[in-house]
Amino acid sequence: AEKICLTMNFAPAMYCHLFVLFITLVSSTDAFVNYQCKLCNVKSNKAHVRLHAKKPFAGPIAKAKRQMDPDDYERVVKEKMKQNRKLSRDEAETDYNDFLENPYYALDKQEEYYKKLGYKDMYEGMIGEAEKEGNGDEVRERIETFQRNNKIKAASVLVVVASVFLYLRGLYDVDPTFLKGGLPNFNAR
């Protein structure tokens, strides 16, 4: 059995790998995303909001869904057209494709809804609608708590990434050859 060792100059590779790790953590953590569904139980969506088709693009997820289960795809598109009689088939398909492709679809629609009502952003809209129903202070407190917790999570992630980077940098400064021979091969028998 032939052993393959990865040899490289560790300093540039370390920076590259840590940058990729940092980007991966930042893009996959919930600390940077504002999930509104947990915040407010205000039922302000009393009327149907017309869903506007933003783009005619169908990405790989939408295409895969359409090819793997065409009956379900058609059912959802027809259901959307029944819910909103003003929606054309193209608009319904584009809207469903946006839903399949965009992980922030619900947030985008909620933001669009509150902006149509004349609010500056989603938070202001949720508070404004809650004040109409008499529980604005409660919703404002939940939003502030939510934002504070997300700032703490984001700061924690950044501190952990920076600490790991500084630790590895310290190890490299002490012994520049500590991973020069590559990573250990535990699969060799």
Side-chain angles (χ1 to χ4, degrees):
E2 185 178 87
K3 291 185 181 181
I4 298 173
C5 289
L6 178 64
T7 59
M8 64 182 157
N9 184 0
F10 186 69
M14 180 180 74
Y15 293 123
C16 180
H17 291 299
L18 287 175
F19 178 73
V20 170
L21 174 68
F22 174 74
I23 295 300
T24 303
L25 287 172
V26 168
S27 65
S28 65
T29 183
D30 291 345
F32 297 98
V33 179
N34 294 326
Y35 290 106
Q36 301 302 321
C37 60
K38 298 176 185 175
L39 289 178
C40 185
N41 57 5
V42 175
K43 293 180 176 88
S44 58
N45 276 338
K46 293 177 183 164
H48 286 288
V49 177
R50 180 159 186 202
L51 303 173
H52 296 284
K54 294 180 183 177
K55 54 188 175 194
F57 175 73
I61 296 173
K63 287 178 183 176
K65 172 73 173 172
R66 188 177 208 168
Q67 289 176 354
M68 287 174 27
D69 195 358
D71 295 334
D72 186 52
Y73 185 88
E74 287 297 317
R75 180 190 60 79
V76 172
V77 169
K78 287 179 183 177
E79 195 174 290
K80 279 189 162 300
M81 291 170 58
K82 284 180 187 176
Q83 287 176 354
N84 190 349
R85 301 270 182 209
K86 297 177 184 176
L87 208 60
S88 71
R89 177 162 183 87
D90 288 339
E91 288 175 328
E93 282 185 4
T94 303
D95 195 59
Y96 186 49
N97 291 343
D98 285 346
F99 167 75
L100 292 172
E101 294 294 330
N102 184 2
Y104 307 112
Y105 175 83
L107 292 174
D108 292 344
K109 288 298 176 183
Q110 194 172 18
E111 181 88 24
E112 181 181 319
Y113 171 76
Y114 285 121
K115 284 187 177 181
K116 282 183 182 179
L117 292 177
Y119 295 106
K120 183 179 79 172
D121 61 3
M122 187 170 21
Y123 295 124
E124 184 182 302
M126 288 174 13
I127 292 169
E129 293 297 307
E131 284 176 351
K132 289 178 184 177
E133 295 182 7
N135 60 346
D137 292 334
E138 178 186 333
V139 172
R140 183 178 288 111
E141 183 181 325
R142 276 190 269 166
I143 288 173
E144 288 171 356
T145 303
F146 173 77
Q147 288 177 332
R148 184 179 55 249
N149 288 344
N150 278 348
K151 286 179 184 177
I152 291 169
K153 289 177 190 177
S156 300
V157 168
L158 293 175
V159 165
V160 166
V161 169
S163 299
V164 167
F165 173 76
L166 291 174
Y167 175 73
L168 290 175
R169 173 86 188 256
L171 285 177
Y172 178 76
D173 288 343
V174 170
D175 182 18
T177 62
F178 80 102
L179 277 179
K180 195 133 190 146
L183 298 174
N185 185 3
F186 294 110
N187 293 329
R189 295 180 185 170

